[in-house]
Amino acid sequence: MEEATESAKRIREDIQEMRNKYGVVDSQEKCAACDFPLLNRPFYLFLCGHMFHYDCLFQEVTPHLTTYRQSRLEELQKKLAATTLSSKSRHRPVPKDEGDTASLGKGSAGTSREQIKSDIDDLIASECVYCGELMIKSIDKPFIDPQKFEEEKSSWL
């Protein structure tokens, strides 16, 4: 029991330490997927040194996810889009008889939006797509999709 408690304590300390880590990104750095400047769009920096734009990482990771995780990701994106639309509509002038800001849900919307973003991060950015477990699991998959093989083969000739 004491070993398990000590192990759990070390894991919590490691997690807390990881939250406080940061990386420095040079202004000339490029996305590992699209090779465009990294700082132009939201991006992820992994401990291994790979850097991806959010949308590039999303495109790289999605095909490797299980069907359940893909559907969960779609669901989270729809929720995020809905919270974005509702937060934009909150910025319009409110007539005095429509109520105060508490009735607009400002308190809970920010938290849920951040929670949705965190859940999306957990799905697509839990590890580097190039050197994490996703890549290791895909080692037996062909580089070229078998349905597109003939098309790709003819483009090389």
Side-chain angles (χ1 to χ4, degrees):
M1 262 327 235
E2 288 179 19
E3 277 184 42
T5 304
E6 187 62 33
S7 176
K9 181 181 174 186
R10 282 193 304 268
I11 290 171
R12 280 195 285 292
E13 289 171 356
D14 288 348
I15 290 171
Q16 189 60 37
E17 187 178 307
M18 292 301 287
R19 287 185 180 151
N20 296 329
K21 287 205 175 213
Y22 63 91
V24 179
V25 177
D26 193 20
S27 62
Q28 290 85 21
E29 295 287 349
K30 297 186 186 276
C31 173
C34 70
D35 208 35
F36 281 105
L38 193 66
L39 298 177
N40 291 345
R41 302 191 312 253
F43 65 91
Y44 289 94
L45 168 65
F46 291 95
L47 292 175
C48 61
H50 286 118
M51 299 172 228
F52 299 91
H53 291 118
Y54 168 81
D55 52 327
C56 295
L57 182 64
F58 186 88
Q59 288 175 346
E60 292 283 330
V61 170
T62 304
H64 299 284
L65 295 176
T66 63
T67 307
Y68 170 76
R69 287 184 172 216
Q70 285 180 357
S71 61
R72 176 76 176 130
L73 188 57
E74 288 174 19
E75 175 188 328
L76 288 169
Q77 284 187 303
K78 288 177 185 174
K79 284 182 181 179
L80 185 62
T83 60
T84 302
L85 291 175
S86 67
S87 69
K88 286 181 180 178
S89 67
R90 258 190 240 122
H91 296 294
R92 64 176 168 73
V94 179
K96 290 182 182 179
D97 58 336
E98 277 193 35
D100 62 305
T101 56
S103 66
L104 294 174
K106 279 194 175 189
S108 64
T111 306
S112 65
R113 181 173 166 74
E114 291 305 314
Q115 181 61 46
I116 293 168
K117 284 183 173 183
S118 175
D119 291 347
I120 290 173
D121 283 350
D122 289 345
L123 284 172
I124 67 166
S126 60
E127 61 186 4
C128 176
V129 70
Y130 284 174
C131 51
E133 191 174 331
L134 284 175
M135 190 55 66
I136 293 168
K137 285 182 177 180
S138 71
I139 195 76
D140 61 343
K141 294 181 183 174
F143 289 121
I144 301 170
D145 185 12
Q147 290 126 357
K148 297 180 181 178
F149 179 75
E150 288 303 320
E151 178 185 330
E152 188 67 30
K153 182 180 166 184
S154 66
S155 73
W156 281 77
L157 298 175

